[in-house]
Amino acid sequence: MLLTDAAEAAARVAARGAHDRFQAGISTSRIEARMYRDAASYLAGRGVPVLTIDTTRRDPRGVVEQVAERITENTQGPSDQDVTT
């Protein structure tokens, strides 16, 4: 889950323009941020692997690299050293 500070989210929406009524300022951003954090906590508490990345001050390229790294970690099969014959 990509998370960001509510004030930063509101500023990003203000800069690009709201897409719908759910992007109506800081209060909406606070509610949305809380709901995403609650969802991540709920899933993690049930054993679901959850990667949360705070994007508040992160460069988009760094976020993409972190996501790609996690995907690679979870999709690689056993290495040749791990396989026994």
Side-chain angles (χ1 to χ4, degrees):
M1 289 187 189
L2 303 180
L3 307 173
T4 194
D5 175 75
E8 177 63 23
R12 291 175 187 177
V13 169
R16 74 164 197 284
H19 294 155
D20 56 43
R21 69 180 192 271
F22 299 110
Q23 296 179 334
I26 187 71
S27 63
T28 303
S29 294
R30 283 188 183 120
I31 292 166
E32 183 177 22
R34 186 185 71 242
M35 292 174 80
Y36 273 104
R37 290 186 201 300
D38 289 350
S41 177
Y42 175 86
L43 292 169
R46 280 146 186 81
V48 177
V50 177
L51 172 63
T52 58
I53 302 171
D54 185 343
T55 66
T56 303
R57 291 174 187 73
R58 300 250 346 241
D59 173 64
R61 185 176 303 271
V63 173
V64 169
E65 289 171 356
Q66 188 174 356
V67 171
E69 181 180 304
R70 178 60 68 93
I71 291 170
T72 301
E73 289 171 0
N74 289 316
T75 58
Q76 289 180 340
S79 69
D80 289 340
Q81 295 173 345
D82 295 333
V83 176
T84 58
T85 56

